[in-house]
Amino acid sequence: MSLLSLEQVSVAFGHNPLLSKISFSAEAGERIAIIGRNGAGKSTLLKTISGEVIPDEGVIRIEGGMKVAQLPQELPNANDKLVKEVVSEGSPEAHELLTRYYALLEDFENDHSNELSDIQHTLDQIQGWDLEQRVLKMMQRLDLPADKKMSELSGGWRRRVILAQALLSEPDVLLLDEPTNHLDVPTIEWMEKQLQQYRGLILFITHDRRFLEQLANRIIELDRGNLISFTGNIHAFLEFKEKLLEEEEKANALFDKRLAEEEVWIRQGIKARRTRNEGRVRALKALRVERSERISVQGKAKMSIETKDKSGKLVAEFNQVAHRFEDKVILQPMDLVVSRGDRIGLVGPNGCGKSTFLKILLGQLTPDSGTVKQGTKLNIAYFDQLREQLDPEKTVAENVGEGKDVIEINGQNKHIIGYLGEFLFPPERARTPIKALSGGERNRVLLAKLFTKPANLLVMDEPTNDLDVETLELLEELLMNYDGTLLLVSHDRAFLDNVVTSVIAFEGAGAVREYVGGYNDWLRQGGRFAVERMTPKSEKQVTKKEVPKETTPPAKAVVKNKLSYKMQREFDSMPDTIAKIESEIERVQEIISDGDFYTQEQALVQKTLTEMSDLETALEVSMDRWLELEEMQNG
């Protein structure tokens, strides 16, 4: 049974058709990824389903009694509200009634018996009395600190709070718009697990390809106002889409050939015009109209980086460099050599010290101890994730050209409008103020601005946020062929795997280590972040990797806790146990990702989904036990 259906829905802003008579239906258990280029109408589609945008025509049906919840793209305010208050707002009617009920109970001077009776009756009807228990259960499930203020939480923790708020009402349909934006890798992986256990219908927008691969079992693409639906994973969809575009190109070529023949016929001499068929003339006019209304596939962006004169072979060298802020160790003593041509990815949780590390490496900050040797002939270009280099009041052309109509790129003069066309900005869009652009468009502006500056050391802080998949892949190709040095901060695991040659991982308590390869290579080599318990950043945590305040290594500690023989055998067997569970998860995931999975009987589908949930729980329990035994062994 369909929970949600859209029939011939259209939405247009001005002359731009975002949705053109689209139709589709969706059922429980589907996790649908909505993909498409920046500005294709993905967010508009979600807003139309949620009721924020009224369609110009068409019908949206949600099965009677079904609840819809939305995880907004923006983070909640860092205010003085308690976490439990914010979570309880996920059931607004019960929350407001209970708040009013308890306020009236405390007003002893006045008689509120009638209003109290009405509130009690309503709470009985909506089953609102158990709100506090449901809030407590949800916070326990997501391991949230009930009595902490939102202002005490980092962005990642606040994202977790609003996910709890969205799930509190036990919605049948969950809408997610860029849920991973600005989250660190541990939080993204945590969110993946939470959503994989959700049994309702999920529609989500993301540009994080690894997140999409892990979560989606159906793909919906918005392309020039039309909708393409595909059951299966993203890799199978891309093969399907490539064939679809080939067929479209052939059909358009035949159409254009026929139109050209008819145009020749209509322009023949007087004798032909005397005998011409009026029906054929009307058909030609219809062909002209159809051709004029065709929306062509948008061209691909063309990016290039101009490399300044080569830097020296050595870019930077650390010798026992260490740093701290008050009582927080940012960097334990470490050695590091960055050479010309290296492509290095920096990975770690938000707030772990990646930006501080970059400042030390670039000579903008002096470390507490150790020495940093800078290379020679460095020309640095910096990509800022906060886009502070852009003036929101100025146009795209004014921001990139800095007041010039002609700029020099790789030794050639280019008009600013032509240059911006290579970044998919048509002339009218190039003259649009930055404040009117989408997030993805702003990122493209910043890339266009960045690449006007010759550089042999490129520092990029979260360049992939909001970029569509095609632009991401082009940027990957560009960076892989870049012959300068790249320092890349990113939480996009697929982007890291495809671009970098080594990873510098911030593994907790100032432990920073370099690994050969990308993100997956780091995992294969035993890399992992320190175990983070679900407590806010204001609470101090002690992990197995934490060191004393001194930046010098402490004396070798005496092992206090030895494992018993039985525990030691259990500890030794844990890697094999975990590997077996992971192998089973991969097997079941392949079954679920099959295009025909959801066409089976509902009982078989539910059995497989339950098996996946049980395996994921077993993996989490095994990982926790392994870490517990490891801590006991290390003392």
Side-chain angles (χ1 to χ4, degrees):
M1 181 183 68
S2 297
L3 294 184
L4 169 72
S5 63
L6 278 71
E7 298 175 8
Q8 298 291 299
V9 171
S10 296
V11 176
F13 293 125
H15 298 291
N16 183 24
L18 292 178
L19 309 176
S20 180
K21 296 184 180 298
I22 67 168
S23 299
F24 79 94
S25 61
E27 301 176 356
E30 289 191 295
R31 300 192 295 268
I32 302 175
I34 303 171
I35 66 173
R37 282 191 162 177
N38 296 133
K42 301 185 295 295
S43 294
T44 300
L45 175 58
L46 281 191
K47 290 177 181 177
T48 303
I49 293 171
S50 69
E52 292 179 57
V53 171
I54 306 299
D56 299 327
E57 60 178 315
V59 178
I60 299 173
R61 290 191 175 91
I62 298 175
E63 189 66 26
M66 297 298 175
K67 298 177 184 176
V68 179
Q70 188 168 12
L71 184 68
Q73 191 171 354
E74 298 78 19
L75 287 173
N77 294 328
N79 51 31
D80 289 334
K81 279 189 177 181
L82 298 180
V83 169
K84 60 185 178 184
E85 292 181 62
V86 178
V87 174
S88 68
E89 290 171 0
S91 185
E93 185 179 5
H95 172 73
E96 291 175 11
L97 287 172
L98 283 171
T99 301
R100 177 63 178 166
Y101 181 81
Y102 291 124
L104 293 177
L105 286 179
E106 293 179 3
D107 184 7
F108 302 107
E109 297 180 0
N110 299 294
D111 179 18
H112 299 291
S113 56
N114 290 335
E115 186 176 356
L116 285 169
S117 178
D118 290 340
I119 292 176
Q120 286 175 331
H121 179 68
T122 306
L123 286 170
D124 287 337
Q125 286 183 319
I126 66 173
Q127 298 180 332
W129 292 109
D130 65 345
L131 177 62
E132 189 173 343
Q133 287 75 22
R134 289 192 290 119
V135 169
L136 180 61
K137 183 179 178 181
M138 184 59 65
M139 288 189 296
Q140 288 174 341
R141 174 183 164 188
L142 303 189
D143 218 351
L144 292 169
D147 295 316
K148 290 295 178 182
K149 295 178 180 178
M150 295 293 285
S151 58
E152 296 180 73
L153 305 182
S154 67
W157 287 105
R158 283 185 279 141
R159 178 75 72 186
R160 292 174 180 177
V161 172
I162 58 170
L163 178 60
Q165 183 190 80
L167 294 175
L168 181 71
S169 62
E170 299 179 348
D172 302 285
V173 182
L174 187 59
L175 309 177
L176 310 173
D177 192 351
E178 294 290 358
T180 65
N181 256 13
H182 306 294
L183 295 184
D184 54 35
V185 173
T187 308
I188 292 171
E189 292 178 342
W190 170 86
M191 181 174 282
E192 283 174 358
K193 291 179 181 178
Q194 296 297 322
L195 296 176
Q196 284 168 346
Q197 296 171 13
Y198 179 72
R199 298 300 171 223
L201 166 64
I202 300 177
L203 291 98
F204 68 100
I205 299 168
T206 185
H207 294 125
D208 185 321
R209 289 162 293 175
R210 190 66 53 81
F211 183 82
L212 191 154
E213 290 168 7
Q214 294 290 337
L215 197 61
N217 53 33
R218 180 178 170 190
I219 308 295
I220 284 179
E221 183 186 41
L222 291 178
D223 182 15
R224 292 163 286 168
N226 298 315
L227 182 145
I228 302 170
S229 177
F230 180 86
T231 301
N233 60 37
I234 184 64
H235 302 292
F237 169 77
L238 292 175
E239 293 178 5
F240 166 76
K241 180 65 187 297
E242 187 174 351
K243 294 176 182 176
L244 206 63
L245 289 175
E246 288 176 1
E247 292 173 3
E248 180 183 340
E249 189 176 349
K250 291 177 183 176
N252 285 341
L254 289 173
F255 179 94
D256 293 342
K257 180 180 179 182
R258 182 185 170 199
L259 176 61
E261 290 171 350
E262 293 300 291
E263 293 287 2
V264 169
W265 171 79
I266 198 70
R267 288 174 175 79
Q268 287 177 354
I270 294 173
K271 182 178 179 180
R273 280 199 292 273
R274 283 177 183 163
T275 58
R276 69 188 175 189
N277 183 294
E278 291 301 323
R280 191 172 176 181
V281 173
R282 287 194 297 273
L284 172 59
K285 289 180 180 178
L287 287 174
R288 288 172 175 171
V289 171
E290 185 176 344
R291 179 62 186 87
S292 68
E293 291 178 349
R294 181 196 301 169
I295 303 176
S296 301
V297 178
Q298 190 178 15
K300 293 186 177 181
K302 301 174 183 177
M303 303 180 191
S304 62
I305 308 175
E306 182 178 358
T307 307
K308 191 75 172 174
D309 298 334
K310 287 186 177 181
S311 66
K313 186 174 182 180
L314 177 71
V315 174
E317 181 178 5
F318 280 21
N319 182 17
Q320 288 297 290
V321 171
H323 197 70
R324 69 183 310 115
F325 283 133
E326 298 176 353
D327 62 343
K328 182 178 181 180
V329 178
I330 301 296
L331 184 61
Q332 294 182 29
M334 75 171 296
D335 298 325
L336 174 70
V337 174
V338 180
S339 302
R340 182 179 65 219
D342 285 348
R343 298 196 301 272
I344 301 174
L346 277 65
V347 299
N350 289 335
C352 67
K354 297 187 294 292
S355 297
T356 300
F357 178 89
L358 283 177
K359 289 178 182 178
I360 292 173
L361 189 145
L362 297 175
Q364 300 171 359
L365 179 66
T366 303
D368 291 339
S369 62
T371 58
V372 179
K373 183 179 179 181
Q374 296 288 329
T376 57
K377 301 179 182 177
L378 293 179
N379 289 282
I380 303 169
Y382 192 90
F383 182 98
D384 171 26
Q385 66 161 321
L386 299 178
R387 310 185 184 109
E388 291 177 352
Q389 300 173 31
L390 301 178
D391 185 338
E393 300 301 325
K394 291 184 178 179
T395 66
V396 174
E398 289 169 339
N399 269 279
V400 176
E402 297 179 347
K404 302 175 185 175
D405 289 333
V406 177
I407 56 177
E408 185 178 333
I409 304 292
N410 290 324
Q412 296 182 342
N413 288 333
K414 285 190 176 183
H415 194 278
I416 187 63
I417 300 298
Y419 174 69
L420 288 172
E422 297 177 358
F423 288 80
L424 303 181
F425 289 105
E428 67 275 10
R429 206 61 177 162
R431 297 184 177 93
T432 301
I434 293 295
K435 63 184 180 183
L437 302 183
S438 68
E441 288 176 314
R442 294 187 190 192
N443 256 19
R444 269 193 274 128
V445 174
L446 195 51
L447 288 171
K449 183 179 177 69
L450 183 74
F451 296 161
T452 62
K453 312 292 183 185
N456 52 37
L457 174 56
L458 196 55
V459 182
M460 308 191 83
D461 191 356
E462 290 293 347
T464 64
N465 282 343
D466 303 313
L467 292 181
D468 57 53
V469 174
E470 288 186 35
T471 308
L472 268 175
E473 291 176 347
L474 182 64
L475 181 59
E476 281 177 356
E477 184 180 349
L478 185 70
L479 295 178
M480 284 189 286
N481 295 324
Y482 178 57
D483 59 4
T485 305
L486 173 68
L487 298 173
L488 172 67
V489 178
S490 180
H491 299 309
D492 188 323
R493 294 157 289 176
F495 193 77
L496 286 165
D497 281 338
N498 293 338
V499 170
V500 304
T501 54
S502 66
V503 162
I504 292 178
F506 292 72
E507 297 179 331
V512 181
R513 300 182 180 90
E514 185 176 18
Y515 296 79
V516 174
Y519 180 80
N520 273 340
D521 296 305
W522 168 65
L523 291 178
R524 277 194 290 269
Q525 294 172 68
R528 61 184 299 111
F529 300 119
V531 180
E532 183 184 9
R533 302 301 174 192
M534 298 298 181
T535 50
K537 66 178 183 178
S538 60
E539 294 185 10
K540 297 177 183 177
Q541 301 182 61
V542 179
T543 71
K544 64 186 181 68
K545 295 178 184 280
E546 189 164 348
V547 297
K549 292 185 179 181
E550 293 78 22
T551 55
T552 55
K556 189 173 181 179
V558 178
V559 177
K560 296 180 180 178
N561 296 318
K562 287 285 187 180
L563 294 178
S564 67
Y565 175 74
K566 184 178 179 181
M567 286 183 174
Q568 184 65 53
R569 291 194 63 182
E570 181 186 3
F571 177 65
D572 293 339
S573 67
M574 288 305 293
D576 289 337
T577 302
I578 291 170
K580 288 177 182 177
I581 297 174
E582 289 176 335
S583 177
E584 280 296 293
I585 287 176
E586 289 180 7
R587 178 186 64 79
V588 178
Q589 187 64 56
E590 286 182 7
I591 295 172
I592 294 174
S593 299
D594 186 88
D596 297 326
F597 175 71
Y598 285 96
T599 63
Q600 304 177 91
E601 292 182 9
Q602 187 60 35
L604 292 174
V605 171
Q606 190 59 50
K607 181 180 177 182
T608 307
L609 293 174
T610 301
E611 182 183 1
M612 173 61 81
S613 177
D614 292 343
L615 285 169
E616 288 169 344
T617 301
L619 179 61
E620 188 174 343
V621 170
S622 298
M623 293 292 288
D624 287 344
R625 179 59 175 165
W626 186 30
L627 292 168
E628 180 185 354
L629 292 171
E630 186 178 30
E631 289 177 358
M632 291 173 64
Q633 184 187 55
N634 292 339

